[in-house]
Amino acid sequence: QKSIKTMTAAAATSNTTGGGASPPSPSSDDPNARYTFNDAALATLRKSSPWKDDPSYFQSTAISPSAVMKMMTHCHSGVEKGVKKGGNPIEVMGLLLGRPDPNTPKTLVVTDVFPLPIEGFETRVIADDGDVINHMIALGESLETTRKEKFMGWYHSHPFDVGIHSHCFLSQTDISTQLQWQRAEDPHGNPFLAIVVDPLRSLAKGHPELKAFRAYPPEYTNPIPNQCPDGSIIHEEQLRLEKWGSCSSAYYELEVEYFMSTGARNVLSLLNRNFLWMRALGSSAMCEKEARGRYPERVEKVAKKISKLDPQSGSGSGGSGGGG
């Protein structure tokens, strides 16, 4: 059976950048900066491809709210589908749409995502080659006429049982897939990104649990022994294996940030101000640190009130019993 990269590369063709005059480069301090870019500056960055000479060139990724929502919804649907069938949650996969950012060159911007008709279990993804390729070709042709970004990454879920550590890591199969994508796309000015989502932990924690990664070239040797993808040093092999899988030295983690336009922020602020009941229903007071700290004090006060009422209750109970 063909690898994921072989199945989808045929459709992951480069989208042409629209013509016309390039807009001025937006300021990096502008909250709307991630939503636009200078065509000429991006073309220059793609041509120079500084990431080819630095195995850990990219340091962060910026993800749009719609991309996060679509990823989480897709990954949660895999969980529900597997459980409804009476089995384990199903692993799903999709592609990322975006670009490197000319204003912050070491950041990869993810503007949208597209689920793929691929399902699997654990770290091995199963797909119907013909369906995937046809789907990707149709999607690629559609995007060429409507979007300036390219397919620049892939995401998939690790829907494993909630444990002490997150399941956001790259398995050996994932590393192989990511390396094939990077070899095919990086030299042509399109650096490829991998995102792993832990849907069950996301549900348990109440926030998106996802991480972004890039693979090191096979010939690269990390000069720092026992360094993990997040830069930490873990000397205990078993602990490294639990947190980062068996290939912890073969890839590194990028910092994840989320960006939102001014208009979206204003709408969210309005909703929070005018409909505070949504925030109240969506949170648990006992999960807040302040509430946990005052909990013993409140219990003690209630206990004192009960102790004062107890003799009266006993007397009332006794009187009632005596009259019976």
Side-chain angles (χ1 to χ4, degrees):
Q1 190 171 7
K2 298 179 182 178
S3 68
I4 300 171
K5 187 267 173 182
T6 304
M7 292 186 291
T8 54
T13 53
S14 299
N15 298 321
T16 56
T17 302
S22 298
S25 297
S27 167
S28 57
D29 297 328
D30 181 2
N32 301 311
R34 301 292 191 195
Y35 288 93
T36 185
F37 57 91
N38 183 297
D39 290 355
L42 178 58
T44 300
L45 178 61
R46 289 191 188 279
K47 186 176 181 179
S48 62
S49 299
W51 46 85
K52 290 190 295 185
D53 302 318
D54 185 350
S56 56
Y57 177 80
F58 292 102
Q59 299 300 313
S60 64
T61 181
I63 309 176
S64 73
S66 61
V68 176
M69 287 296 294
K70 288 172 71 174
M71 274 192 288
M72 299 309 299
T73 301
H74 186 207
C75 293
H76 287 159
S77 72
V79 173
E80 293 176 355
K81 186 173 182 179
V83 172
K84 282 182 179 179
K85 289 183 177 179
N88 295 322
I90 295 174
E91 183 175 333
V92 298
M93 175 187 165
L95 287 181
L96 312 175
L97 192 76
R99 64 184 186 278
D101 185 14
N103 299 308
T104 52
K106 295 195 174 185
T107 298
L108 290 170
V109 179
V110 179
T111 57
D112 205 350
V113 302
F114 295 89
L116 291 177
I118 294 178
E119 296 177 351
F121 297 94
E122 295 186 352
T123 53
R124 301 190 64 84
V125 175
I126 303 167
D128 184 313
D129 293 18
D131 287 347
V132 173
I133 292 176
N134 290 335
H135 179 85
M136 287 302 305
I137 290 174
L139 181 59
E141 290 176 348
S142 172
L143 291 175
E144 282 182 356
T145 61
T146 59
R147 306 288 284 269
K148 291 184 178 182
E149 298 96 344
K150 299 180 179 182
F151 289 129
M152 45 72 69
W154 66 297
Y155 72 88
H156 72 290
S157 62
H158 280 179
F160 312 143
D161 290 339
V162 179
I164 300 175
H165 308 296
S166 166
H167 293 299
C168 295
F169 63 87
L170 293 184
S171 67
Q172 189 171 357
T173 303
D174 299 337
I175 291 289
S176 176
T177 300
Q178 177 63 16
L179 278 174
Q180 290 182 68
W181 276 116
Q182 288 183 198
R183 285 168 176 162
E185 298 293 332
D186 281 25
H188 303 291
N190 189 36
F192 230 72
L193 178 71
I195 289 180
V196 181
V197 180
D198 186 340
L200 293 180
R201 193 175 183 85
S202 299
L203 290 170
K205 297 295 182 181
H207 61 80
E209 185 76 22
L210 60 84
K211 294 182 180 180
F213 305 107
R214 289 262 299 168
Y216 290 125
E219 63 275 11
Y220 176 79
T221 301
N222 194 329
I224 306 175
N226 301 322
Q227 185 177 44
C228 298
D230 64 346
S232 64
I233 308 294
I234 299 180
H235 296 286
E236 187 182 343
E237 184 177 355
Q238 183 59 33
L239 183 56
R240 279 202 315 275
L241 185 65
E242 291 174 2
K243 292 187 70 174
W244 300 106
S246 59
C247 304
S248 59
S249 62
Y251 65 100
Y252 72 97
E253 181 182 358
L254 283 71
E255 180 182 347
V256 174
E257 65 177 79
Y258 304 105
F259 63 92
M260 189 180 294
S261 67
T262 304
R265 288 182 187 277
N266 291 340
V267 170
L268 190 61
S269 175
L270 230 94
L271 289 173
N272 278 333
R273 186 169 64 250
N274 297 338
F275 303 97
L276 289 176
W277 56 268
M278 291 195 307
R279 189 162 52 187
L281 290 176
S283 63
S284 173
M286 278 311 300
C287 291
E288 298 173 2
K289 185 177 180 180
E290 295 81 2
R292 291 200 305 270
R294 293 190 59 194
Y295 187 68
E297 177 188 342
R298 290 171 178 171
V299 170
E300 185 180 0
K301 286 182 179 179
V302 172
K304 287 180 179 179
K305 289 181 180 180
I306 292 174
S307 66
K308 289 179 182 179
L309 293 172
D310 191 55
Q312 297 176 6
S313 299
S315 174
S317 175
S320 180

